[in-house]
Amino acid sequence: MIPLARPQPRRVAVIGGSLIPFARSDGPYAHSSNQEMLTAALNGLVERFGLQGQQVGEFVAGAVLKHSRDFNLARETVLGSALDPRTPAYDIQQACGTGLQAVIAAADKIMLGALDSAIAGGTDTTSDAPLGVNDQLRRPLPAARRAPFAAAGARIVATLAELLAEREGPGRGLISICAAGGQGVTAILERP
């Protein structure tokens, strides 16, 4: 049997980058999602290198703090960008290193000859952090949701306010509910 020759690893180079300016939480990007920020950075790179309408080997990116709507963040970012929508994309997630891990994953594929080119990156926002509630706060929501919206919204806020007050005692909090049809109810709870 003839032994297989090991392929020689190819050299990999980072040829450029693009980013949106860093900003404090709840500042200029307070109402921007991970996808919006990642798409802006990707489009900056596409413009800088003249990649409009081009298909690259792969786009790999991710975020640590992701909403459930971000389950396919990299793919949706490509679809919202100026790249060719046939560009393959996938998400990764690693605390304190998503962008770097994306670069390493893309570089490994190029080095091994699986890809000729790739774009890698990451994004995160604490201004639009995914928030959840515990079972005690969640259970009243489905029953209240089945009632007409005006009544349901008031019941939801009242129920959550009571549960928070019982559980947390004096303090300050915010309840924000998004209901069907894009309607929302927000209650700001102020206590001494």
Side-chain angles (χ1 to χ4, degrees):
M1 195 175 269
I2 301 172
L4 296 175
R6 263 194 184 161
Q8 290 297 329
R10 299 185 320 172
R11 293 184 64 166
V12 178
V14 175
I15 60 169
S18 176
L19 55 87
I20 59 174
F22 288 100
R24 295 178 69 111
S25 290
D26 300 317
Y29 306 123
H31 301 287
S32 299
S33 68
N34 280 326
Q35 183 180 340
E36 290 167 331
M37 293 189 298
L38 189 57
T39 302
L42 178 57
N43 277 334
L45 188 78
V46 167
E47 184 177 328
R48 178 178 286 166
F49 291 96
L51 298 172
Q52 293 88 348
Q54 299 294 311
Q55 182 177 351
V56 297
E58 184 170 88
F59 177 64
V60 54
V64 175
L65 297 174
K66 289 182 7 178
H67 285 272
S68 58
R69 68 175 181 244
D70 293 333
F71 76 96
N72 208 3
L73 179 63
R75 183 73 192 131
E76 294 298 325
T77 297
V78 167
L79 293 175
S81 77
L83 279 178
D84 183 316
R86 293 174 296 175
T87 298
Y90 70 93
D91 283 27
I92 62 166
Q93 183 176 7
Q94 180 176 328
C96 302
T98 299
L100 178 58
Q101 190 59 40
V103 171
I104 291 168
D108 284 348
K109 286 185 175 183
I110 292 170
M111 182 179 67
L112 296 173
L115 295 174
D116 289 323
S117 64
I119 298 173
T123 183
D124 260 312
T125 177
T126 56
S127 300
D128 187 28
L131 301 175
V133 295
N134 65 25
D135 285 347
Q136 185 182 11
L137 296 175
R138 180 187 53 77
R139 285 188 184 118
L141 297 178
R145 188 182 63 222
R146 288 187 283 274
F149 181 75
R155 277 197 302 274
I156 292 170
V157 171
T159 302
L160 291 177
E162 289 171 16
L163 290 170
L164 278 174
E166 287 172 14
R167 191 173 139 215
E168 303 298 329
R172 183 178 192 146
L174 170 72
I175 300 173
S176 179
I177 312 270
C178 184
Q183 298 168 324
V185 174
T186 301
I188 298 171
L189 308 174
E190 297 274 351
R191 292 186 214 104

